[in-house]
Amino acid sequence: MRIAYRDAVREAIRDALKADPRVFLMGEDVGRYGGSYAVSKGLLEEFGPQRIRDTPLSESAFVGAGIGAALGGLRPIVEIMTVNFSLLALDQIVNNAATLSHMSGGQLSVPLVIRLATGAGRQLGAQHSHSLEGWYAHIPGLRIAVPATLDDARRMLAAALASPDPVLLFEHLYLYNMEGELTPGLERVDLEHAAIRRAGRDVTLITYGWSLYKCLAAAATLAQEGIDAEVLDLRALRPLDDAAIMASVRRTRRAVIVDEGWRSGSLSAEVATRIVEQAFYDLDAPVARVCTAEVPVPYAKHLEAAALPSPETIAAAVRNLLTSGAGG
Amino acid sequence: MSAAGGYALSREHGLELLRQMLRIRAFEDRSYRLYGETKIRGFLHLYNGEEAVAAGVMQALRPADAIVSTYREHGHALARGISMNAVMAELFGKQTGCSRGRGGSMHLFDAAKRFYGGNAIVAGGLPIAVGLALAQKLQHQSDLTACFFGDGAVAEGEFHESLNLASLWKLPLLFICENNLYAMGTALERAQAETDITTKARAYRMEATAVDGMDAFAVEEAVADAARKIRNGAGPALLEMRTYRFRAHSMFDPQLYRDKAEVEAWQKKGPIVSLTTRLKALGLMTEEDYQRLEREAEAEVETAVGFAESSPWEPVSELARFVYAEHIA
């Protein structure tokens, strides 16, 4: 049966609401409107306003309320409409959700799930096109996961709700319309392991989110040129799956990190550093990166496209690595 | 004396309020000295002058109620019943501290007492209190959440967002503003266009009352009255406790922003001296009673210091524990 990404997320939320009376969904326009990206459409009618809770535009208050409700014994799913608006709740996420377990000497835990739409590509301009998941991955105490596939969109939420820690799930806005088939019989996924989405011998493309599909497209192009690229979907940005990254890089001896975030002080920098720290002598070439240009993401279609990673720029970085041995 | 609660101040009751305030005062005075001796480090915000608020509030709450506090929370923690040993050990940074040495003065926690911490971001605790109250309401509990914050918090967006949300959802939440007239060194009238905090709360359609925060009995009555209404489903309320901080904001504050005469005028109507005078005038307490309570408080502090001194440090090998939960929630 074909299913769209947004429907997979909705089914996951519906399952969770049915399975556990402590679970509820709260956020801006999740109820009457049906969700800004139509993810929660129909859930208000099915579960009622106590469990599908529309909030005012008070990101800090309703994210903090999610933390408090988690402390109070519930299992909230808080939807922040987009990562861009999460900056208004940064105090609650960074100062409270991430610290309370440690700061209380382990007395408290914050079993909170926050879902956020992330990313660029829809000509929404600088304030609606951020990819800040790498920023959040900087913070000890948080768990960061990125469902890029339909299976993960369908199954990651249950794993996040089962975690006693605060989990941020980043859904790339470009993926909501993606359709395909779920893997039959798949019941459980975790929030800790990367997955090889395409096996290859010559280079590892390390990526996550929407960029996964750009990497797969680049790999298809490269295959016609006789270059066999492996594509590793990180799935979790915190904790990073070092073992999977190193195992792949040791096999292919080359790594290109593809990240829609900016490169300075970034997740891609972290992954590159870990490779250098742990697998330097297994490399045949410097680690390369393809990231978003260091500009606020512009509106005009051609400028936005030029700013973001693309299958072409990814393939070019791989060719460069294989021919000159130099970084992209 | 207000008669809103309809009960009179008995000897037993009066002595208990005074006992709590004397414990807090003795703890704070000793902490001040221990800071000078470098036994306590980091930021240290003392509660001297505001004891009536903690003593009165905690007297009126139930054990199952949740408490959210600020960075000036030693008094809240002690009056709530967290052991003085555990609080002092936390200030020392010891393993036996109530946050296992990871919180310090500004981050005291006790899950069993439902004490959800000192929060050191001004107004940062208010949204959490909204969530605790939401959990209480959705689980049909008769408990409430009491959330402390200072007058400085009123300038933060989180104050306004939280009051609105609590009122919109009719949550069992008591907002307790400890208005000591200064946000660090900025006087209320230099920071707020409207200095009556109850007016702001009423704009969010909740009952709001100003209380003499130097009078422990008045505080207790006001909280008991508000709590009864909240438990009956009236939704949130705000109490503005008008109080005063006798000592500096923290240990690094030369107090250039206020006159000594102002501090001395407030000290004359301090919460301990005023309750003592009243209990004696009513014939409910003797000087011997007072001396005994003071001695007991000093002894409790002495024991706590000894406990903290002799407690072990958390081994560095335990550094990374509790960043993530060690149990399944």
Side-chain angles (χ1 to χ4, degrees):
Chain A
M1 190 192 81
R2 288 185 73 75
I3 188 167
Y5 184 98
R6 71 162 47 78
D7 301 323
V9 177
R10 184 189 310 117
E11 287 308 305
I13 297 171
R14 177 181 280 135
D15 276 359
L17 288 161
K18 280 184 180 166
D20 187 343
R22 300 173 302 173
V23 173
F24 69 102
L25 174 70
M26 124 173 109
E28 292 156 352
D29 277 324
V30 298
R32 200 76 73 84
Y33 188 96
S36 177
Y37 297 96
V39 166
S40 50
K41 198 174 169 199
L43 296 180
L44 174 66
E45 292 72 15
E46 190 174 347
F47 295 98
Q50 295 296 318
R51 301 185 73 194
I52 306 296
R53 191 166 278 269
D54 279 318
T55 66
L57 279 66
S58 303
E59 287 82 1
S60 200
F62 71 72
V63 170
I67 295 167
L71 291 172
L74 299 180
R75 291 294 176 275
I77 304 168
V78 172
E79 177 179 307
I80 303 178
M81 195 180 283
T82 79
V83 68
N84 312 284
F85 312 153
S86 76
L87 301 186
L88 293 161
L90 214 48
D91 172 45
Q92 292 301 322
I93 299 170
V94 178
N95 277 321
N96 289 336
T99 63
L100 285 172
S101 173
H102 185 82
M103 210 161 61
S104 67
Q107 291 179 79
L108 304 179
S109 61
V110 183
L112 166 70
V113 177
I114 301 176
R115 296 176 38 248
L116 317 84
T118 188
R122 291 225 176 265
Q123 287 190 264
L124 299 177
Q127 294 180 343
H128 278 69
S129 300
H130 287 305
S131 293
L132 298 176
E133 49 278 0
W135 249 30
Y136 285 102
H138 180 65
I139 311 294
L142 302 179
R143 293 182 182 276
I144 311 298
V146 187
T149 65
L150 292 167
D151 284 338
D152 277 346
R154 182 71 180 81
R155 300 292 175 210
M156 259 191 186
L157 181 68
L161 283 166
S163 167
D165 304 311
V167 180
L168 275 64
L169 293 177
F170 286 90
E171 300 160 6
H172 197 290
L173 53 86
Y174 221 89
L175 295 177
Y176 285 120
N177 287 331
M178 180 177 73
E179 288 187 14
E181 302 284 339
L182 292 171
T183 303
L186 180 68
E187 289 301 327
R188 294 188 69 84
V189 300
D190 66 45
L191 302 175
E192 297 183 352
H193 291 96
I196 295 170
R197 303 299 185 192
R198 183 190 193 282
R201 294 185 312 264
D202 299 327
V203 61
T204 302
L205 302 176
I206 301 168
T207 190
Y208 66 91
W210 182 35
S211 298
L212 169 63
Y213 299 94
K214 298 176 181 177
C215 287
L216 290 170
T221 302
L222 292 165
Q224 294 169 1
E225 304 166 22
I227 299 170
D228 190 15
E230 180 147 304
V231 179
L232 185 70
D233 174 8
L234 287 172
R235 295 182 69 252
L237 307 188
R238 187 178 192 100
L240 276 170
D241 186 354
D242 286 11
I245 295 168
M246 301 317 150
S248 175
V249 170
R250 287 194 174 106
R251 269 197 313 275
T252 64
R253 310 179 82 81
R254 294 176 187 84
V256 177
I257 304 155
V258 180
D259 181 7
E260 201 177 302
W262 294 299
R263 72 169 59 201
S264 300
S266 67
L267 183 88
S268 65
E270 179 62 31
V271 174
T273 304
R274 290 190 189 203
I275 292 170
V276 169
E277 286 169 341
Q278 298 175 44
F280 182 79
Y281 294 107
D282 296 305
L283 293 174
D284 280 347
V287 176
R289 289 188 280 167
V290 179
C291 300
T292 289
E294 305 250 338
V295 297
V297 175
Y299 160 71
K301 192 177 177 66
H302 68 294
L303 292 178
E304 183 183 46
L308 302 179
S310 68
E312 293 73 28
T313 55
I314 297 164
V318 170
R319 285 185 206 105
N320 192 38
L321 206 61
L322 284 158
T323 53
S324 70
Chain B
M1 187 196 313
S2 155
Y7 53 93
L9 185 52
S10 70
R11 170 180 159 85
E12 187 188 13
H13 192 159
L15 289 184
E16 177 57 19
L17 287 171
L18 187 60
R19 186 179 79 85
Q20 292 295 353
M21 291 198 289
L22 287 170
R23 290 176 71 229
I24 297 167
R25 179 66 60 90
F27 183 92
E28 296 296 63
D29 285 344
R30 188 59 181 272
S31 296
Y32 179 84
R33 298 211 308 273
L34 288 163
Y35 200 88
E37 297 163 21
T38 72
K39 295 290 184 184
I40 301 171
R41 297 281 83 190
F43 283 140
L44 181 70
H45 307 89
L46 300 176
Y47 197 59
N48 298 53
E50 306 185 35
E51 295 92 342
V53 180
V57 168
M58 296 308 173
Q59 202 67 26
L61 296 180
R62 296 177 182 170
D65 294 333
I67 317 286
V68 175
S69 185
T70 69
Y71 54 84
R72 195 184 302 285
E73 91 281 36
H74 307 165
H76 305 152
L78 293 171
R80 180 59 174 177
I82 304 179
S83 88
M84 193 180 282
N85 284 0
V87 177
M88 186 60 87
E90 188 58 35
L91 268 55
F92 274 61
K94 294 296 184 79
Q95 185 182 48
T96 53
C98 60
S99 306
R100 216 164 154 150
R102 284 164 175 80
S105 162
M106 302 192 286
H107 304 296
L108 305 174
F109 289 88
D110 190 330
K113 301 281 182 198
R114 304 214 66 197
F115 195 86
Y116 290 96
N119 197 304
I121 304 298
V122 172
L126 277 81
I128 293 180
V130 169
L132 284 162
L134 176 62
Q136 287 164 331
K137 179 169 175 149
L138 291 181
Q139 293 172 112
H140 308 290
Q141 296 164 353
S142 62
D143 316 318
L144 59 81
T145 297
C147 179
F148 290 93
F149 53 94
D151 50 290
V154 170
E156 296 281 2
E158 287 183 323
F159 167 84
H160 296 274
E161 292 187 10
S162 298
L163 262 67
N164 178 59
L165 206 49
S167 185
L168 183 72
W169 290 347
K170 284 220 173 320
L171 300 180
L173 177 44
L174 179 59
F175 293 102
I176 301 170
C177 179
E178 295 181 306
N179 178 5
N180 65 18
L181 300 176
Y182 292 92
M184 207 159 105
T186 303
L188 189 63
E189 73 266 14
R190 293 181 57 232
Q192 289 293 313
E194 170 57 77
T195 55
D196 184 342
I197 292 164
T198 63
T199 301
K200 297 174 196 287
R202 282 186 212 106
Y204 295 107
R205 290 177 174 258
M206 70 178 72
E207 202 168 294
T209 312
V211 181
D212 178 0
M214 306 307 264
D215 179 344
F217 192 59
V219 169
E220 183 186 339
E221 273 200 314
V223 173
D225 186 46
R228 192 179 57 249
K229 291 176 187 164
I230 289 170
R231 290 187 214 282
N232 285 338
L238 179 140
L239 295 175
E240 180 193 341
M241 305 297 182
R242 295 192 173 158
T243 183
Y244 198 77
R245 156 169 64 69
F246 290 172
R247 287 195 185 272
H249 165 77
S250 72
M251 305 305 281
F252 304 100
D253 168 15
Q255 302 192 70
L256 302 173
Y257 50 85
R258 64 182 187 181
D259 293 332
K260 276 206 169 106
E262 178 184 298
V263 179
E264 283 162 10
W266 276 92
Q267 281 172 336
K268 283 199 183 102
K269 52 183 176 180
I272 292 174
V273 66
S274 62
L275 184 61
T276 301
T277 306
R278 192 155 100 201
L279 289 172
K280 284 182 179 172
L282 290 168
L284 297 174
M285 187 183 81
T286 63
E287 177 62 18
E288 288 70 46
D289 290 325
Y290 181 84
Q291 297 291 339
R292 177 176 52 79
L293 289 177
E294 206 172 44
R295 272 198 314 276
E296 286 172 3
E298 292 293 346
E300 189 183 2
V301 171
E302 198 56 41
T303 302
V305 173
F307 174 80
E309 284 277 14
S310 63
S311 286
W313 300 104
E314 180 87 326
V316 173
S317 59
E318 304 278 279
L319 169 67
R321 286 187 68 187
F322 315 123
V323 176
Y324 296 98
E326 296 182 357
H327 62 281
I328 301 302

